[in-house]
Amino acid sequence: MKNLITEGLTITGGMWDQINRLWSNDKKIKQTGLSEEYDENLLFAQATKEINEKGYSKEFTKAEAVAQKVEEIREKFLAGIVAAGEIELGNMHIDRLVKEQKLTQEEGDSFKQKMNEIQEAFNKYDNVGMGRLTFEAKKEMAYLAYYQSKNDEVIQQNKDYYQAQREKVEANTKMSDKVKKQNLEDIAAEEKQTIEILEETGKGYQQSMDNLYDESRILAEKLKKEREDKINQRL
């Protein structure tokens, strides 16, 4: 059994295991960005800095753009926890942030809900092939999978909405057949345009996820070659 005596304290092998787990847990949490230093005020400062440097779409006010950037940063923190496979640890850490009043209870509950949604979306893509991705690539994959899932939900919501519009027109007994036909054609045209835009957005998310695999494969081959070169230099 591993044993260390220091300043009158005996640390046994079991205690070493517990200490190592704590160190490992802290490292995983810091990797995600959602560490004990997490501060909502600093988050808004970071978001404002990025908006000032990179600009923002003029369809939004600057305040709206900053709020969106803050939400993006939060989501990437949570995606990091999911990518690390540490949901339970993430929940415990969120509880600690709430207890330390760095998050309100409402914010903490919202974080947990979104983290579970990201996990559910990520599960569809999580497989042994994910092993070749770096942590940052996995984190981005979880983030993109979440938005792909949300985009799929919006597509279905729109399909349901336009179907309800069609049923409303068809159920109208006071409308002439000619006007019904025109209305149904207008609904179909608008639905087609809306769904096509959303599907293009989905293709963009999918392409970004495919790129993560390609980039990770290139990086893995590069690192392998560097290791082989070092070995050859020693021979």
Side-chain angles (χ1 to χ4, degrees), residues 14-15 41 91 121 169 171 176 213 233:
M15 292 175 70
N41 292 326
N91 282 326
V169 170
S176 70
Y213 279 107
Q233 286 173 7

Side-chain angles (χ1 to χ4, degrees), residues 98-191:
V98 171
K99 185 177 180 181
E100 294 173 356
Q101 298 185 333
K102 293 180 178 179
L103 291 175
T104 65
Q105 185 63 56
E106 185 179 357
E107 287 170 337
D109 292 342
S110 176
F111 270 41
K112 288 181 180 181
Q113 180 181 344
K114 183 161 286 190
M115 184 166 60
N116 288 332
E117 290 174 358
I118 294 172
Q119 173 73 69
E120 185 177 348
F122 184 61
N123 280 343
K124 298 174 185 177
Y125 300 91
D126 194 9
N127 56 69
V128 292
M130 196 78 72
R132 68 172 179 267
L133 298 182
T134 63
F135 171 75
E136 286 302 321
K138 284 183 182 177
K139 179 177 175 180
E140 188 68 14
M141 178 71 79
Y143 177 76
L144 290 168
Y146 170 69
Y147 270 91
Q148 178 73 290
S149 174
K150 288 297 177 185
N151 192 63
D152 290 343
E153 287 179 14
V154 173
I155 288 175
Q156 188 57 54
Q157 288 167 2
N158 274 275
K159 287 181 176 179
D160 292 343
Y161 167 76
Y162 287 113
Q163 179 58 29
Q165 291 295 303
R166 276 190 290 272
E167 291 173 0
K168 186 176 180 181
V169 170
E170 290 165 351
N172 191 333
T173 57
K174 296 183 179 180
M175 191 180 292
S176 70
D177 290 343
K178 179 182 177 181
V179 174
K180 273 188 181 182
K181 184 174 182 293
Q182 289 172 341
N183 282 356
L184 290 171
E185 286 174 352
D186 290 343
I187 290 169
E190 185 177 314
E191 179 182 20

Side-chain angles (χ1 to χ4, degrees), residues 32 34 53 58 60 90 126 132 136 145 148 171 182 189 191 197 214 221:
T32 69
L34 194 67
E53 290 175 350
K58 296 307 176 185
F60 303 109
D126 194 9
R132 68 172 179 267
E136 286 302 321
Q148 178 73 290
Q182 289 172 341
E191 179 182 20
I197 291 170
D214 293 339
E221 289 173 355

Side-chain angles (χ1 to χ4, degrees), residues 6 11 26 32 38 49-50 64 67 79 92 94 105 115 121 131 134 137 141 143 145 147 165 198 211 215 231 233 235:
T6 175
I11 301 178
D26 284 344
T32 69
Y38 181 87
K49 181 174 181 291
E50 287 191 35
E64 289 171 335
M92 290 170 56
I94 290 168
Q105 185 63 56
M115 184 166 60
T134 63
M141 178 71 79
Y143 177 76
Y147 270 91
Q165 291 295 303
L198 290 167
N211 290 344
E215 290 163 6
I231 292 171
Q233 286 173 7
L235 297 177

Side-chain angles (χ1 to χ4, degrees), residues 28-35 38 43 46 50 54 68-84 111 114-115 118 135-147 205 208 212:
K28 288 175 181 175
I29 285 295
K30 285 177 181 177
Q31 222 178 1
T32 69
L34 194 67
S35 66
Y38 181 87
L43 207 63
Q46 179 185 343
E50 287 191 35
K54 299 177 182 177
Q68 288 175 350
K69 177 57 68 174
V70 166
E71 192 61 22
E72 178 188 326
I73 296 169
R74 286 177 183 147
E75 287 166 351
K76 289 197 172 181
F77 286 160
L78 299 175
I81 292 174
V82 169
F111 270 41
K114 183 161 286 190
M115 184 166 60
I118 294 172
F135 171 75
E136 286 302 321
K138 284 183 182 177
K139 179 177 175 180
E140 188 68 14
M141 178 71 79
Y143 177 76
L144 290 168
Y146 170 69
Y147 270 91
Y205 290 137
S208 295
L212 289 172

